[in-house]
Amino acid sequence: MSTETGRESRRSGALVDLMRWMENLSDTQYAYLLLIPVFVLLGIVALYPLLRTFELSLYAVSTDLTSLNFVGIDNYIGLFTGEKNRFLPGGTTFLPASFAFADLLNSALVITIIFAVVSVGFETIIGLGQALILDQDFYGRRWIRAAIIIPWAVPVVIQGMIFFLMFNSNVGFATPPLADLGLLAPTNTLNDTASATFIIIVADIWKTSAFMALLILAGLQSIDRGLYDVAKVAGATKWQQFKMITFPLILPTIGVAVLFRSVQAMRVYGIIDTVSSCAVVPSLSCMVVATFNTREGTSAAIAFVTAAIIGIVVMGIILWQGEDAI
């Protein structure tokens, strides 16, 4: 009797009940159960700092720089209305006071958006072209792949110094031909906002197109080659094969690549600081760094707005991708 009682107790213990409960879960419920540790970790690593940043953005440093005073949303009002809105040398603002081109170039928000849209757009196009070439079977493809990856492997500091020396007014060789085309200022190029922004965008495209190419290439190589055989039998041209087979099937991969690069581009800082300066080419990250020591509340407000913009971009791409999104 005692043996049977022991067996019954083992069969009805808390652990056994938990295992039975897990066995009765649906596949979706079980998947969410396994994701709980990930959600907890993300909450600790990502959500808590974001909430702490928002809390800090509701305060302002006192005039004697010794304490923080609660000011509510005044920091956000100052950002979007222009009050106390100049943070960096040269008159950089969060938003332009007017819609004149010169004012736009003094806006960290506008400069960041221009950088992200232009650089990510060209990187996607160039990366797609490189991926289509690398997906073909030709002699020396392995070496071409290695050559394309090299710029991506270059550290940001070295990348910045390369382009700084290329476009330096005293020793650079790249400024005169581009200045003749009207793309750059002929003198003091790296201290001209429009010229320096152009150079920084080119530098980012040069480095990061390889990242896009590798992601898109992974999508290309996952396509069933039998689809192309069928298309050839049906008499489809190369363009029709690309339009009807290749592009639709790699579109989710392109969406993921654009998502990753957009998040990185909205946080641009290092390449600006090494090629020119934040005073010449402002960005949201530049403003966060510039205001952190003396205006912590303003710095936190800018950081929170930046995170909100990145979140909007991410959600937009996910909605565009639909069910194929991450």
Side-chain angles (χ1 to χ4, degrees):
M1 293 292 294
S2 60
T3 304
E4 293 180 359
T5 304
R7 290 176 180 175
E8 288 295 331
S9 62
R10 286 196 296 270
R11 290 176 184 175
S12 60
L15 182 59
V16 174
D17 293 339
L18 177 62
M19 295 299 295
R20 288 175 179 173
W21 175 77
M22 292 176 62
E23 290 176 355
N24 293 328
L25 293 176
S26 65
D27 291 342
T28 302
Q29 292 172 333
Y30 189 70
Y32 280 116
L33 179 64
L34 295 179
L35 287 174
I36 288 177
V38 178
F39 292 148
V40 173
L41 182 62
L42 285 176
I44 296 173
V45 175
L47 185 59
Y48 173 75
L50 186 63
L51 295 176
R52 185 70 179 90
T53 300
F54 177 72
E55 180 186 3
L56 186 60
S57 71
L58 303 178
Y59 291 82
V61 180
S62 60
T63 54
D64 58 0
L65 303 180
T66 60
S67 62
L68 292 175
N69 299 323
F70 181 79
V71 295
I73 62 173
D74 285 354
N75 288 322
Y76 295 95
I77 294 174
L79 291 179
F80 290 101
T81 61
E83 297 177 6
K84 302 177 182 179
N85 204 14
R86 298 187 179 275
F87 304 108
L88 299 177
T92 298
T93 63
F94 182 81
L95 283 174
S98 65
F99 290 99
F101 184 69
D103 290 328
L104 290 178
L105 291 181
N106 285 331
S107 166
L109 178 60
V110 174
I111 285 290
T112 303
I113 292 175
I114 290 174
F115 173 85
V117 171
V118 176
S119 63
V120 174
F122 276 97
E123 287 162 9
T124 303
I125 296 172
I126 295 173
L128 176 59
Q130 291 175 338
L132 290 172
I133 293 173
L134 294 177
D135 192 48
Q136 305 301 314
D137 189 12
F138 59 90
Y139 180 75
R141 182 176 61 174
R142 181 183 304 176
W143 300 105
I144 299 297
R145 286 184 179 181
I148 289 177
I149 294 175
I150 288 174
W152 185 40
V154 173
V156 174
V157 174
I158 297 177
Q159 171 201 10
M161 290 305 301
I162 290 172
F163 281 85
F164 172 81
L165 294 174
M166 285 175 58
F167 292 95
N168 185 277
S169 300
N170 297 323
V171 298
F173 62 87
T175 297
L178 294 177
D180 293 339
L181 296 174
L183 298 176
L184 298 177
T187 58
N188 208 21
T189 306
L190 295 178
N191 289 323
D192 177 74
T193 301
S195 300
T197 302
F198 174 81
I199 294 169
I200 288 168
I201 290 175
V202 171
D204 190 73
I205 293 172
W206 172 79
K207 176 178 175 63
T208 323
S209 294
F211 173 80
M212 302 294 283
L214 291 176
L215 289 182
I216 297 173
L217 179 61
L220 286 172
Q221 295 189 337
S222 67
I223 298 175
D224 184 3
R225 301 298 166 174
L227 296 174
Y228 295 104
D229 296 334
V230 174
K232 291 177 182 178
V233 172
T237 63
K238 289 290 186 181
W239 167 247
Q240 289 173 329
Q241 293 177 34
F242 174 79
K243 181 180 178 181
M244 304 304 295
I245 299 175
T246 305
F247 188 71
L249 292 178
I250 65 171
L251 192 57
T253 304
I254 293 176
V256 172
V258 170
L259 175 62
F260 288 156
R261 273 301 301 140
S262 297
V263 171
Q264 293 176 346
M266 290 296 296
R267 297 184 287 111
V268 60
Y269 173 76
I271 186 63
I272 293 176
D273 198 42
T274 52
V275 173
S276 180
S277 71
C278 287
V280 177
V281 183
S283 71
L284 295 177
S285 296
C286 284
M287 295 183 69
V288 172
V289 173
T291 58
F292 180 75
N293 290 327
T294 58
R295 302 174 66 176
E296 294 182 8
T298 301
S299 178
I302 299 170
F304 189 80
V305 170
T306 303
I309 294 172
I310 292 174
I312 292 172
V313 172
V314 170
M315 289 304 300
I317 295 175
I318 290 177
L319 291 175
W320 167 56
Q321 286 289 292
E323 295 181 355
D324 293 325
I326 297 178

